[in-house]
Amino acid sequence: PAPPKPRKKESFEEKLWRKFSSQPLVPIGCAATVYFLVSGLKSFQDRDPFKSQRMMRNRVAAQFATLMCFIGYVGIEQFDFRLAPMYQDAEKLKRMMEAQGESNDK
């Protein structure tokens, strides 16, 4: 068989679009975290301790939510949703071996 063709090098924009479309909640969570951070720092600068404290708490919550979304996406990508995957893999291997045996017999 011929060797596989090398894949085209992915540009930064293509990779960014691919990641954003496959995991949209992570960049949204990052943007929310940045918003709360900047808003909290502005409140701190304006000497409004109550709003500053509230924004920093919201920042921590946004960071936590973003981290949980990221972990969730990684978990879903790794999870095998097939029923009885070991049985299905064994059956597929068995059929491949039988097909190879038939092609070798010819």
Side-chain angles (χ1 to χ4, degrees), residues 10-25 27:
E10 193 173 39
S11 71
F12 175 75
E13 291 83 14
E14 291 170 335
K15 184 174 184 176
L16 183 68
W17 177 253
R18 180 176 54 84
K19 291 285 189 178
F20 187 79
S21 56
S22 68
Q23 300 177 354
L25 294 178

Side-chain angles (χ1 to χ4, degrees), residues 3 9 21 23 43 50 56 58 63 96:
K9 182 151 174 59
S21 56
Q23 300 177 354
S43 300
F50 299 109
M56 289 300 146
N58 287 340
Q63 281 179 303
M96 287 174 50

Side-chain angles (χ1 to χ4, degrees), residues 27-47:
I28 292 170
C30 290
T33 301
V34 169
Y35 167 77
F36 287 126
L37 176 63
V38 170
S39 182
L41 290 174
K42 174 112 173 59
S43 300
F44 183 74
Q45 185 181 20
D46 294 342
R47 299 195 187 280

